């Protein structure tokens, strides 16, 4: 069943006019006809079963006929703080971490980032990444679309974050650290804010590690292997799901 996000609040029994993007995909691409059903999430995260009523070149209307229940969201708010990766890896990271339940992705210009986002192109990059997140949220039947941001300064990000701050640090893996990630995730409770910092291809610099430790960042290893920058967030989110979500 198709899954779409409405741009307004809604209630059971209401008739809603769909925007052109949803209408085009559902009616033109998926060839929905009156009487067909799809899932719709309103701005408040409420999930409905909607039935297509009418579709013309001017307007497509759906009636919300049933409240649906969903457990598709991880019970904690996970923020990925990601050093800028090279090439188009940001697209892939946003898509896959969205599928795995991330709440927010904040890219930052790390000390050892090779990639640079120039000021006149940042807004367009974020707009494209936000669309990727929206598409991945529909595909994975989530109840919310992650927010995608960019911040040049790591310190600006962590000073405004309130919650448990973890640092995926490859030196911890090299030194044989095994248990800290499990220990930290085991202490997280439903509704908590959790963030993980992942470095770019060059890793996290000593200065950044010192900064993160000054703000109570806790270094954790992600297993005994050294992971690529685009793989590390997926490992982390899989661990969050296994330890926090599947055991709850």
């Amino acid at each position: 069943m198709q899954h779409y996000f409405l741009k307004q609040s809604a209630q059971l029994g209401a008739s809603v006019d769909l925007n052109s993007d949803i209408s085009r995909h559902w009616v033109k691409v998926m060839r929905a006809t009156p009487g067909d059903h799809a899932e719709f999430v309103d701005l408040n995260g409420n999930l409905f079963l909607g039935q297509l009523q009418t579709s013309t070149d001017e307007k497509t209307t759906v009636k919300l006929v049933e409240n649906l229940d969903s457990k598709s969201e991880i019970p904690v708010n996970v923020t990925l703080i990601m050093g800028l990766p090279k090439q188009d890896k940001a697209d892939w990271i946003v898509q896959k971490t969205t599928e795995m339940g991330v709440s927010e992705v904040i890219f930052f210009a790390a000390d050892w980032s090779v990639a640079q986002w120039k000021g006149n192109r940042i807004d367009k990059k974020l707009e494209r990444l936000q669309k990727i997140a929206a598409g991945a949220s529909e595909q994975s039947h989530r109840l919310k679309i992650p927010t995608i941001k960019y911040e040049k300064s790591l310190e600006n990000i962590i000073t405004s974050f309130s919650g448990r701050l973890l640092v995926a640090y490859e030196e911890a893996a090299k030194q044989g650290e095994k248990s800290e990630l499990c220990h930290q995730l085991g202490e997280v409770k439903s509704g908590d804010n959790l963030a993980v910092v992942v470095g770019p291809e060059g890793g996290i610099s000593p200065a950044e590690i010192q900064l993160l430790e000054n703000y109570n960042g806790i270094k954790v290893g992600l297993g005994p292997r050294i992971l690529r920058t685009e793989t590390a967030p997926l490992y982390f989110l899989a661990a969050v799901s296994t330890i926090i979500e599947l055991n709850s």
Side-chain angles (χ1 to χ4, degrees):
M1 184 174 293
Q2 297 303 303
H3 185 92
Y4 300 106
F5 288 85
L6 302 173
K7 294 184 178 180
Q8 71 258 37
S9 299
Q11 59 184 6
L12 185 64
S15 292
V16 177
D17 293 338
L18 302 181
N19 66 43
S20 58
D21 289 340
I22 297 176
S23 178
R24 186 181 307 110
H25 184 267
W26 194 27
V27 176
K28 301 296 184 183
V29 178
M30 303 306 298
R31 300 184 180 180
T33 57
D36 286 349
H37 294 85
E39 294 178 355
F40 295 89
V41 183
D42 76 353
L43 275 181
N44 299 317
N46 299 310
L47 180 64
F48 300 94
L49 181 68
Q51 184 180 53
L52 182 60
Q53 300 293 293
T54 60
S55 180
T56 66
D57 291 338
E58 293 76 29
K59 185 169 67 173
T60 298
T61 302
V62 63
K63 185 175 183 180
L64 305 179
V65 297
E66 184 180 343
N67 288 116
L68 299 177
D69 186 33
S70 172
K71 304 294 185 184
S72 63
E73 292 299 322
I74 290 177
V76 295
N77 303 307
V78 182
T79 296
L80 169 62
I81 303 171
M82 184 81 218
L84 282 182
K86 294 189 293 186
Q87 300 170 341
D88 60 352
K89 290 180 182 178
D91 295 16
W92 194 89
I93 289 167
V94 166
Q95 183 186 63
K96 299 308 175 185
T97 58
T98 295
E99 291 177 22
M100 298 191 72
V102 78
S103 299
E104 182 178 46
V105 180
I106 308 175
F107 292 98
F108 72 98
D111 290 346
W112 291 347
S113 283
V114 174
Q116 295 183 10
W117 287 7
K118 297 182 179 179
N120 61 346
R121 300 181 62 188
I122 291 173
D123 287 346
K124 287 187 177 180
K125 284 180 176 291
L126 290 176
E127 182 180 357
R128 186 186 74 252
L129 292 172
Q130 195 64 65
K131 288 181 179 178
I132 290 172
S137 294
E138 290 180 349
Q139 182 272 320
S140 53
H141 284 218
R142 291 192 55 180
L143 298 180
K144 61 184 178 182
I145 301 171
T147 302
I148 314 300
K149 299 178 180 177
Y150 170 78
E151 175 62 63
K152 187 172 183 180
S153 167
L154 174 61
E155 187 168 13
N156 287 348
I157 300 171
I158 59 178
T159 54
S160 61
F161 176 75
S162 177
R164 190 178 300 261
L165 178 63
L166 305 183
V167 184
Y169 192 44
E170 64 180 28
E171 293 303 319
K174 289 179 182 178
Q175 294 163 11
E177 186 276 302
K178 296 180 179 179
S179 62
E180 191 62 39
L181 177 63
C182 291
H183 171 71
Q184 291 297 324
L185 295 183
E187 292 190 342
V188 175
K189 296 178 175 58
S190 181
D192 283 357
N193 295 323
L194 173 67
V196 62
V197 179
V198 176
E201 289 81 1
I204 302 174
S205 74
E208 289 168 334
I209 287 293
Q210 184 61 60
L211 173 67
L212 289 161
E213 289 182 331
N214 290 344
Y215 284 92
N216 300 315
I218 300 168
K219 295 180 292 186
V220 296
L222 302 182
R225 292 158 293 281
I226 303 304
L227 305 177
R228 291 179 180 270
T229 188
E230 66 269 29
T231 310
L234 305 189
Y235 183 109
F236 180 82
L237 285 162
V240 170
S241 177
T242 301
I243 295 172
I244 300 174
E245 184 176 34
L246 300 184
N247 282 333
S248 61

